[in-house]
Amino acid sequence: MRNPSPAPAPGSAVAWKAKVTPCCSKVGLKRGPWTPEEDEVLSSFIRREGEGKWRTLPKRAGLLRCGKSCRLRWMNYLRPSVKRGQIAPDEEDLILRLHRLLGNRWSLIAGRLPGRTDNEIKNYWNTHLSKKLISQGIDPRTHKPLNTDKPSSSLERDNNALASHVPATSLNPNANPNPNIQFQNACSSLGNENDGTNFNVHNPYDNYHYFDGSTLNHGGGWPSFDGPMVRGLPNSHVAGEAVEIGDVNFCTDDLFSSFLNSLINDEVLQQEPVNNGSICNSEQGIDLAAPPSDPLASEVLAFGNRAFWEPAFMCSTVFNEENYSVQPTNHMNN
DNA sequence: AAGCCTTCCAACCGCGTTTCT
DNA sequence: GAGAAACGCGGTTGGAAGGCT
């Protein structure tokens, strides 16, 4: 499908394997590429009735598709906001930066690229960018040089040991490539004395929060905080440490958006190495072994920790979605 | 011209999380 | 609180199209 068309040529009703699946197991449900007619039916139905209730949508719309298939088609192709065409160089650059920060969190990355879908970005990454990085001698997963993969910390050793005993696919494929970062340091960087968002950390190097292997999860899940999550916001504890939400205003849209923008900004990511030159090459990823002395650098480093950055990221990206129904709790106003 | 190989990407699958009952 | 249903995400698949021999 070099030149993706709105739909496959009629008649090319391609021989998708007629596997029985939980989702489309009902006899008579169609699979494979969508026809223009189906697209039209789905589009006009959603324009009329709105998105959602995907499970029942096909029936209501008169489509012989499963809900999942309808949702996918709408999200990835039919939505008016979907931008088509080549990924621009600046978009490519942004994808690279975001991937370095987030790993394979395609939906989060897509959230920062208006009009692009997670599927599109994922495909672009797999077909273009990962190869590009490999050709430059950079591991596309870690954004570090390909053959200098020596474990430098016990955590890394542990993770490597784990990886050697577990099939690759059962490890969290989304794990952030930069695991060794402290949570509180991030907070101290983010906080602001004047607006009450001060995280008040005396010595940011006292409380490293390593992500141990047990918190790895799979799929689109969230990291395993030992407290309930409210759409990505840790409730009261993070990784067992007392980070009282009541005391810290975890993040706000504005705060986080500007923070994120700073992360994807050249000046921040291309920061020169700090401290004893302990590895910090902007082209090859950020080394997290040594505590940073530069506040900006520490923001970047701290953001590499899923225990912090993922919930925070949700504040900025997901909650900014127009149609998102759940708003984050504003602890400042409570 | 024909056959094989490679690239691309739409669509599927399985699973985790969230919401509903 | 438990179980079921719905939703959303990331990984994978496989057919079409283009390139190569």
Side-chain angles (χ1 to χ4, degrees):
Chain A
M1 296 175 197
R2 285 284 160 83
N3 300 307
S5 56
S12 72
V14 187
W16 280 87
K17 281 193 295 182
K19 264 193 275 182
V20 175
T21 68
C23 181
C24 307
S25 56
K26 280 186 185 171
V27 181
L29 285 191
K30 198 167 167 243
R31 304 179 67 233
W34 282 65
T35 65
E37 293 74 28
E38 287 176 309
D39 282 347
E40 179 52 36
V41 169
L42 180 58
S43 295
S44 58
F45 181 83
I46 290 177
R47 274 196 296 270
R48 207 169 55 242
E49 306 283 334
E51 291 180 43
K53 296 178 181 157
W54 295 108
R55 186 74 72 155
T56 58
L57 185 148
K59 196 171 184 178
R60 291 182 289 137
L63 284 163
L64 290 172
R65 294 276 182 172
C66 72
K68 251 183 172 180
S69 184
C70 292
R71 177 184 167 274
L72 199 71
R73 185 63 179 171
W74 173 254
M75 294 296 190
N76 287 343
Y77 202 90
L78 297 174
R79 259 192 311 173
S81 59
V82 171
K83 192 199 285 182
R84 311 219 65 84
Q86 283 283 322
I87 302 274
D90 58 329
E91 288 178 305
E92 181 178 311
D93 187 55
L94 187 53
I95 293 169
L96 280 167
R97 292 172 195 284
L98 289 168
H99 188 273
R100 183 160 54 198
L101 292 165
L102 300 168
N104 295 359
R105 303 309 304 265
W106 306 117
S107 65
L108 289 179
I109 294 172
R112 306 300 297 189
L113 286 135
R116 299 296 184 186
T117 68
D118 54 354
N119 205 36
E120 187 177 12
I121 290 169
K122 179 172 59 181
N123 281 333
Y124 190 72
W125 178 268
N126 288 333
T127 57
H128 292 94
L129 294 181
S130 64
K131 288 170 188 169
K132 192 173 173 181
L133 289 181
I134 288 170
S135 75
Q136 293 170 357
I138 296 169
D139 185 340
R141 194 178 58 83
T142 62
H143 292 262
K144 292 183 176 179
L146 271 170
N147 44 13
T148 59
D149 216 15
K150 297 192 186 95
S152 60
S153 70
S154 58
L155 172 70
E156 264 183 86
R157 282 193 301 273
D158 290 348
N159 284 347
N160 288 346
L162 178 67
S164 69
H165 289 91
V166 181
T169 51
S170 59
L171 285 171
N172 180 5
N174 308 317
N176 189 279
N178 303 324
N180 309 349
I181 318 133
Q182 72 269 48
F183 169 75
Q184 293 195 350
N185 196 30
C187 298
S188 66
S189 299
L190 273 175
N192 179 329
E193 291 178 351
N194 298 325
D195 63 11
T197 61
N198 189 0
F199 289 88
N200 190 26
V201 176
H202 303 308
N203 180 353
Y205 307 139
D206 281 349
N207 298 295
Y208 277 73
H209 283 271
Y210 293 117
F211 218 39
D212 74 15
S214 65
T215 62
L216 294 174
N217 61 4
H218 174 72
W222 299 107
S224 304
F225 297 106
D226 72 339
M229 299 285 291
V230 181
R231 285 283 178 183
L233 290 173
N235 193 350
S236 59
H237 293 75
V238 174
E241 287 288 329
V243 178
E244 295 296 335
I245 281 302
D247 297 337
V248 295
N249 296 286
F250 198 79
C251 63
T252 65
D253 286 1
D254 288 347
L255 172 63
F256 194 79
S257 276
S258 58
F259 173 59
L260 181 63
N261 287 340
S262 79
L263 288 176
I264 56 182
N265 179 300
D266 275 341
E267 285 71 27
V268 175
L269 281 174
Q270 293 181 1
Q271 193 98 20
E272 282 302 306
V274 292
N275 287 348
N276 57 34
S278 76
I279 346 137
C280 184
N281 184 330
S282 63
E283 278 304 305
Q284 296 160 352
I286 299 163
D287 179 82
L288 306 160
S293 59
D294 186 297
L296 274 180
S298 70
E299 282 182 10
V300 176
L301 299 191
F303 208 64
N305 189 353
R306 291 187 74 193
F308 169 73
W309 58 258
E310 190 165 66
F313 210 84
M314 289 297 289
C315 296
S316 173
T317 57
V318 176
F319 291 136
N320 278 339
E321 291 287 341
E322 282 177 14
N323 298 327
Y324 210 77
S325 57
V326 180
Q327 294 302 314
T329 304
N330 187 341
H331 298 282
M332 286 182 71
N333 298 332
N334 290 342

